[in-house]
Amino acid sequence: MWRSCFLVAVLTGSVFPVSGFSNGKVTAACGDMMPRHGDFHSPAPPPFSITVDTASFTPGENITVTLQEASSTPPYFRGFLIEARDAGKPDSLAVGSFLLTDPQESQLLQCGHTQGSGVSHRRDSKKTRIQAVWEPPNNPPQKVQFLVTVLRDYNVFWVKMEGPVVSLHGATAAPSTPAPPPTSSPPPLSEPFSSVGCGLSKSCLRDPVGCHPESDPACFFLSFVTDQQGGSVTFELSGPAEGYLAFALSLDKWMGNDDVYMCVSDGGSVTISAAYVSGRTYPEPAIQQDLWGRAWRLADGLIQCRFQRKIILPHADGRFNLSQSYFLFLANGRSQQGFIHRHDRQPLISSNQKEITGPPEDLGGSRSPLLIKIHGVLMLTVWMWMVSTAIFIARHYKNVWPEKTLLGQKLWFQLHRTIMVLAVLLTAVAFTLPFIYRMGWSKHAGSHPYIGCTVMVLSLIQLIMGALRPAPDSPRRIIFNWMHLVTGTAGQVLAVACVFLGVSQQALLLPSPSSPAVLAAWLLWTLLAHLLLHIHDSTLRREGSDRENICSPQSWRQQPEEKSNVKKMVFVVFLLGNTAFLAAFITTIANN
């Protein structure tokens, strides 16, 4: 187990955080040209420029593109991504292809349908100048613009810098495929959205269940209604967010290969856009002309937006047919300068797939994946009920059932051992579930997984020590007793800390502050029960020491029947209390 946790820690530090793409394989960023680094800083103006050796071209005529420093003091850069796009459609796929002039520092990428349509760094060495040769396609656009993202360090980069525009020779006539006219900013909404008609005239997904966006500022709300005659669907999205709201259509309950729609707050207005994600990566922009009827509203920390989309988009790669069934994801998070960050909470996911153009439904959903719910239920069952009960028996009931045996062993020992063995087994099962769900280590869970690893190791040590314990009359028994006490106490303390951290994990996120308060009440309940029996035992010992010439020196251990009944009654009350606390948490997790 030590080796397993060590390997997990190594993987955490050396495999999973590799999101900086120092090797330049940044195909996932081809769409928006945004590095997958999370927070960023882009000083202005950029100290780099991109130039070309000609202002016009014909098919078959290559263009040399140069990225270099633009100030007298040469700044360096480590990473870059260069693409050529239709100047009239800057959000379209890259056109043409590149040839390398320095394969030691640069490499070709497939950005779109053409191999070599993007060029990026090969390693993260310091650079001041890079060149590549662009080859036009056979049927090029009338005007082509070069775009570049430049990265100096991990969190200092300039995104999608606009370079020169080159024109096709003789491009005086209108393009064969005219670019659509510029889209005006979406107008603001005059009124908040309403939940009236949910399940009757429109389908709705809400969190909390049954909330009303027109009156509840904490309500996350998604609705959609189909216009069969027009062949379109109108979507409405509302919720409290600092930066953006988004929903996705997915074929499963895992992020990846999803059709995404985002409403991003940007300087007092809201940008409504479509995108797709190919994995747990930054969304890649899709063709924005597929959305129309856009409108938005910002008020009191709420973002609300509305748009329409055709049911079928036969030309759009990665875009879903709305006449089919999908799981719905609803997420929110922060944004900066129009770029979104990772969502703040686990997305709300519909309980079942829903046909978008199907009959209206009032949908239910959950923010907690099933595996994480099972993990939470098992861990709470083990540490709130099983372990606390087994320790309670071993500490206070050795002398309540002194003569009773079960399978050749004292009753208290058999109960303690059986419960503890089951507790370790259930802990091991629960321990694996988050790794199965995450398919690795979670980088956003804080100290919870590290403490959990420690608890798992201590639990296994306790189990092994118990199996190898020396005989009661062995001189090594005192060493075992102390090690058993220290290891068990450390495991229990860390497990309780882990439970407190677990209820606030993004994947579970039980209600706050009520959940930590209930945990604190359970902990106080357990401590009071132990304290009560310690006082009870101390009273019995004092009474036993006052009896002279009545019983043997060990007589105080054989407690009077009425005193034993008190401890049995406390034991029953203790079990009932633990069961009540556990049931409250299981109910909360099930409804989360």
Side-chain angles (χ1 to χ4, degrees):
M1 190 62 211
W2 279 108
R3 183 166 60 183
S4 298
C5 279
F6 174 75
L7 288 174
V8 169
V10 170
L11 288 173
T12 304
S14 61
V15 177
F16 295 103
V18 178
S19 56
F21 301 105
S22 60
N23 59 9
K25 297 186 183 300
V26 294
T27 305
C30 281
D32 57 8
M33 304 186 73
M34 178 73 180
R36 305 303 191 251
H37 295 177
D39 294 334
F40 65 95
H41 174 55
S42 303
F48 309 99
S49 66
I50 182 170
T51 59
V52 294
D53 62 350
T54 181
S56 59
F57 68 96
T58 57
E61 181 182 347
N62 295 344
I63 297 176
T64 300
V65 184
T66 304
L67 172 64
Q68 60 186 351
E69 51 84 16
S71 59
S72 56
T73 303
Y76 67 87
F77 59 94
R78 295 183 183 274
F80 64 92
L81 173 61
I82 303 174
E83 295 181 31
R85 298 187 183 182
D86 185 340
K89 301 177 182 178
D91 291 330
S92 61
L93 299 177
V95 297
S97 58
F98 287 92
L99 299 174
L100 301 179
T101 61
D102 187 359
Q104 299 254 337
E105 294 290 349
S106 57
Q107 64 181 322
L108 299 178
L109 301 176
Q110 180 172 339
C111 290
H113 303 301
T114 306
Q115 176 61 37
S117 53
V119 58
S120 71
H121 55 285
R122 181 175 290 276
R123 53 182 182 168
D124 63 350
S125 60
K126 293 183 178 180
K127 312 167 187 65
T128 58
R129 188 173 186 268
I130 223 57
Q131 274 191 336
V133 176
W134 181 70
E135 290 185 314
N138 293 331
N139 297 306
Q142 299 293 309
K143 292 187 178 182
V144 172
Q145 184 171 35
F146 293 93
L147 305 173
V148 61
T149 288
V150 183
L151 181 141
R152 175 183 289 172
D153 293 305
Y154 183 83
N155 59 348
V156 179
F157 46 88
W158 295 261
V159 178
K160 209 172 183 180
M161 294 163 43
E162 295 183 354
V165 176
V166 294
S167 302
L168 182 66
H169 277 309
T172 56
S176 58
T177 304
T183 303
S184 58
S185 299
L189 293 162
S190 58
E191 296 180 346
F193 296 144
S194 172
S195 59
V196 175
C198 284
L200 299 175
S201 59
K202 61 185 178 182
S203 294
C204 300
L205 176 64
R206 293 182 276 180
D207 181 34
V209 176
C211 66
H212 304 287
E214 64 271 29
S215 58
D216 184 356
C219 180
F220 289 92
F221 175 82
L222 169 66
S223 72
F224 46 94
V225 60
T226 304
D227 178 6
Q228 294 289 358
Q229 291 184 345
S232 65
V233 176
T234 299
F235 293 92
E236 292 181 342
L237 187 59
S238 173
E242 296 181 17
Y244 73 91
L245 283 173
F247 76 91
L249 309 178
S250 181
L251 296 171
D252 51 37
K253 291 190 175 184
W254 295 87
M255 181 178 176
N257 301 318
D258 303 329
D259 194 3
V260 180
Y261 300 88
M262 301 181 293
C263 302
V264 184
S265 176
D266 185 12
S269 64
V270 174
T271 300
I272 303 171
S273 60
Y276 61 93
V277 290
S278 55
R280 293 189 175 185
T281 59
Y282 198 90
E284 301 179 33
I287 298 174
Q288 304 306 316
Q289 284 74 23
D290 293 333
L291 308 184
W292 74 92
R294 304 182 223 199
W296 56 270
R297 181 174 180 266
L298 288 174
D300 303 323
L302 291 176
I303 296 178
Q304 296 188 324
C305 64
R306 174 192 293 138
F307 65 89
Q308 289 178 265
R309 206 212 86 169
K310 285 286 186 183
I311 295 175
I312 300 176
L313 300 173
H315 65 281
D317 293 333
R319 307 297 298 283
F320 289 171
N321 182 342
L322 299 186
S323 62
Q324 298 178 3
S325 297
Y326 306 100
F327 289 102
L328 296 166
F329 285 55
L330 183 56
N332 66 290
R334 295 172 296 113
S335 67
Q336 185 176 0
Q337 299 179 5
F339 295 102
I340 68 172
H341 296 253
R342 187 179 185 273
H343 43 76
D344 295 329
R345 301 173 60 189
Q346 187 79 6
L348 177 70
I349 304 175
S350 62
S351 302
N352 302 295
Q353 288 186 326
K354 164 63 181 170
E355 181 183 345
I356 305 302
T357 56
E361 290 184 55
D362 206 352
L363 304 169
S366 172
R367 292 186 182 270
S368 300
L370 180 60
L371 287 179
I372 301 300
K373 286 185 174 183
I374 296 174
H375 168 80
V377 168
L378 288 179
M379 285 300 192
L380 287 170
T381 301
V382 167
W383 295 101
M384 286 186 70
W385 200 94
M386 299 180 71
V387 171
S388 62
T389 300
I391 292 175
F392 202 68
I393 291 172
R395 191 163 294 170
H396 301 291
Y397 288 84
K398 291 180 181 179
N399 302 310
V400 175
W401 308 305
E403 304 299 333
K404 292 183 179 180
T405 60
L406 180 65
L407 300 177
Q409 295 283 352
K410 291 184 178 180
L411 177 61
W412 75 266
F413 177 75
Q414 288 285 40
L415 291 175
H416 174 80
R417 181 172 62 180
T418 302
I419 294 173
M420 282 301 196
V421 170
L422 290 175
V424 174
L425 293 176
L426 290 179
T427 299
V429 172
F431 178 79
T432 63
L433 297 181
F435 292 97
I436 295 173
Y437 170 71
R438 293 289 183 187
M439 294 182 291
W441 187 272
S442 174
K443 298 179 291 184
H444 304 281
S447 59
H448 180 76
Y450 297 96
I451 298 176
C453 254
T454 306
V455 171
M456 186 72 254
V457 171
L458 291 174
S459 299
L460 289 174
I461 290 175
Q462 278 287 79
L463 188 65
I464 294 170
M465 283 198 306
L468 301 177
R469 70 190 184 284
D473 56 352
S474 170
R476 293 177 295 174
R477 182 71 177 207
I478 189 171
I479 299 175
F480 163 79
N481 289 342
W482 276 106
M483 290 185 64
H484 191 63
L485 174 64
V486 171
T487 306
T489 302
Q492 189 180 25
V493 170
L494 290 176
V496 170
C498 209
V499 169
F500 271 91
L501 293 171
V503 298
S504 61
Q505 289 297 306
Q506 187 190 88
L508 194 61
L509 203 63
L510 298 184
S512 180
S514 59
S515 295
V518 173
L519 273 178
W522 164 77
L523 187 59
L524 181 62
W525 162 262
T526 303
L527 294 175
L528 286 176
H530 281 283
L531 180 61
L532 175 63
L533 289 188
H534 277 301
I535 294 173
H536 180 266
D537 289 342
S538 297
T539 302
L540 290 179
R541 279 193 286 269
R542 282 197 303 270
E543 291 178 355
S545 64
D546 291 339
R547 297 190 188 99
E548 296 180 3
N549 301 321
I550 298 177
C551 302
S552 67
Q554 300 296 323
S555 63
W556 63 270
R557 293 183 181 270
Q558 305 299 325
Q559 301 170 10
E561 186 65 27
E562 62 273 15
K563 302 292 186 180
S564 177
N565 290 336
V566 169
K567 295 191 75 171
K568 292 176 182 177
M569 183 176 63
V570 171
F571 181 66
V572 172
V573 174
F574 178 79
L575 288 182
L576 291 175
N578 273 4
T579 302
F581 280 112
L582 179 61
F585 268 103
I586 292 177
T587 302
T588 303
I589 292 173
N591 295 330
N592 192 33

